[in-house]
Amino acid sequence: MNKANQVLLKEESRIGADLAAWLSVGGGEGLAAALREPGAVIAQIEQADLRGMGGAGFPTHRKWAPVAAAPDGDKYVICNGNEDEPGTFKDRFLLEHTPHQVIEGALIAAVATRANHVVLYVNPHESRALAVVREAVDQWRQHEHISAIEAWLGVPLSMSVVPSSGLYIGGEETAVIATVEGGFPFPRRKPPFPAQSGVHGVPTIVNNTETLAHLPGILREGASWYRGLGLGAASGTKLYSLSGDVLRPGLYELPMGTSLQELVFEHGAGMLQGKEFKAVFTGGPSNTLLTRSDLDVPLDFDSVRQRQSRLGTGAMIVVSEGTSIVRKVAEYVNFFAQGSCGQCPPCKGGTFQLARVLNRIDTGRGVRADLVALANLCQLLPGSGRCGLIDGAATVVQSSLHHFSHEYKALLMG
Ligand SMILES: Cc1cc2nc3c(=O)[nH]c(=O)nc-3n(C[C@H](O)[C@H](O)[C@H](O)COP(=O)(O)O)c2cc1C
């Protein structure tokens, strides 16, 4: 991609906490545009077809509309920067290198929905990102745009930085809300959705860091500019976290809809040691795997969904022929078992049971009945928790059984 078209990873935006530097490259103009016509922001986000980059790809304008429509009073915008899933490393980069872009995005959300609380929720394991964001928020507090926002709201705007628990579950949106309220990161069932009842029961938006980082550009340059950055029907750009068995892993900002083939073989420079591509854990380790026949898939929300998978966060963990799928899946399911908050017995027990059986098979102690047990658990477990953790764990196991049953069978004792 032409660097001029990059929205999030522009060289000049790697300015850390220096607000003046951000403003000197067009920062603040998106927010100023939002303040000129606050009532038009949500329609613009809809025209830009901005989707949530935190996993579900949910249309951002649909999340915001009910909060904007709610009567004036306390409302929250939370930037979700927890990012603890294996293979995803985009939000910490944004928070550390271009925090003002993210904060400006959160302020635009506050203007559009008349929210008077903005919270930057940051993983404390990313200590540099946390320090940079704290400094960046302090700089914004002094800026004239904040007075303009307060004039529009008619009340003071509070801006705070809340360290997350650093746990994987702490990124789930209702756990985010519980943490911001000062509690443990325990998800709760939805509905009510955060837009109806979030922090302390008031309308709340929880958006992923990358989602918010796209906003200043959309407001500054316009929705059709943003749409034009994507390929085919897809809109905008996407940060892809590329890792695994590729020669050049890293964070790539590319047009939304770039093919998996291009990402792996051009940007990632192909497979390590010239090995064959086997599969990719798409959107992180909690989705359906894509395999060699999917290399042509455009990496956008709708196209990946048509292959029965999900773009998720845009994490792409590439696996070569030399790597055991069973071992990878066992590692990830162990992660989910450790990460379950324990409130829902089917999730806590189910993830541990999946992990136990996978570990047994991976270490050559599995029997045929273990495959049946795995398949049964994958049928039983989805939908049994308050949040999506157990669904993700079951999905990746089921998908690996579907595509790579021969690998499982080859590891059985008899
Ligand atoms: C177990 C679990 C962990 C999650 N962790 C994160 C996270 O670290 N960051 C994030 O943005 N979304 C995370 N999500 C998704 C959030 O619940 C929520 O959908 C997202 O923050 C919404 O932002 P978006 O609409 O901008 O995508 C997680 C979901 C689950 C089920």
Side-chain angles (χ1 to χ4, degrees), residues 30-377:
L31 178 56
L35 278 162
R36 277 194 297 277
E37 229 182 322
V41 175
I42 293 183
Q44 244 182 308
I45 301 308
E46 180 174 5
Q47 281 159 23
D49 193 23
L50 180 66
R51 313 274 190 99
M53 310 284 175
F58 189 76
T60 304
H61 71 276
R62 281 178 51 199
K63 183 176 278 194
W64 290 12
V67 178
D72 278 353
D74 281 329
K75 298 181 190 178
Y76 281 79
V77 168
I78 304 177
C79 167
N80 190 349
N82 190 58
E83 192 173 55
D84 196 56
E85 197 172 61
T88 305
F89 40 85
K90 63 190 181 66
D91 297 339
R92 68 196 67 175
F93 186 95
L94 291 171
L95 291 168
E96 193 174 321
H97 295 271
T98 178
H100 296 297
Q101 186 159 353
V102 176
I103 296 168
E104 186 179 334
L107 293 172
I108 290 169
V111 169
T113 57
R114 293 181 65 80
N116 58 330
H117 299 279
V118 168
V119 178
L120 280 295
Y121 179 79
V122 182
N123 192 323
H125 296 144
E126 299 304 324
S127 53
R128 176 147 170 77
L130 185 58
V132 169
V133 170
R134 282 193 165 126
E135 198 184 328
V137 166
D138 280 344
Q139 292 185 22
W140 273 100
R141 283 200 185 101
Q142 320 297 326
H143 194 267
E144 61 193 26
H145 279 326
I146 301 301
S147 335
I149 296 173
E150 291 179 336
W152 155 243
L153 295 176
V155 290
L157 176 77
S158 84
M159 295 175 75
S160 55
V161 181
V162 174
S164 74
S165 55
L167 303 170
Y168 171 56
I169 198 69
E172 193 280 335
E173 60 186 359
T174 60
V176 171
I177 289 165
T179 311
V180 170
E181 288 172 341
F184 289 112
F186 285 156
R188 62 156 174 79
R189 277 198 192 282
K190 294 179 281 189
F193 291 97
Q196 302 155 319
S197 177
V199 178
H200 303 306
V202 305
T204 298
I205 289 170
V206 181
N207 268 135
N208 173 255
T209 302
E210 184 190 351
T211 312
L212 294 173
H214 284 282
L215 291 164
I218 296 172
L219 270 291
R220 191 177 62 234
E221 308 289 342
S224 39
W225 165 81
Y226 186 76
R227 285 198 82 108
L229 295 174
L231 298 179
S235 189
T237 62
K238 178 81 195 83
L239 290 179
Y240 299 102
S241 308
L242 181 64
S243 66
D245 299 338
V246 287
L247 271 169
R248 214 162 44 204
L251 185 62
Y252 294 93
E253 182 180 6
L254 298 169
M256 183 74 91
T258 298
S259 73
L260 178 59
Q261 168 88 28
E262 180 182 328
L263 178 66
V264 172
F265 289 94
E266 289 182 32
H267 304 284
M271 304 300 294
L272 268 182
Q273 299 166 345
K275 287 185 177 159
E276 286 287 312
F277 173 95
K278 179 152 74 177
V280 59
F281 289 88
T282 321
S286 52
N287 295 311
T288 303
L289 285 150
L290 294 176
T291 60
R292 204 174 303 164
S293 61
D294 297 308
L295 273 168
D296 62 331
V297 69
L299 295 174
D300 61 69
F301 292 108
D302 298 337
S303 304
V304 175
R305 192 169 282 277
Q306 278 164 19
R307 306 281 173 111
Q308 279 70 52
S309 187
R310 294 203 318 173
L311 183 63
T313 58
M316 298 289 147
I317 308 168
V318 179
V319 177
S320 70
E321 280 301 345
T323 300
S324 160
I325 287 285
V326 179
R327 171 137 328 150
K328 279 277 181 210
V329 172
E331 278 171 18
Y332 295 142
V333 173
N334 276 311
F335 169 84
F336 291 128
Q338 301 298 331
S340 169
C341 75
Q343 286 187 107
C344 310
C347 173
K348 193 70 188 169
T351 49
F352 266 101
Q353 186 57 15
L354 283 172
R356 199 175 3 224
V357 177
L358 285 162
N359 291 338
R360 195 157 57 221
I361 297 173
D362 178 44
T363 50
R365 295 173 294 126
V367 292
R368 204 155 268 275
D370 285 329
L371 294 186
V372 178
L374 283 180
N376 286 343
L377 283 166

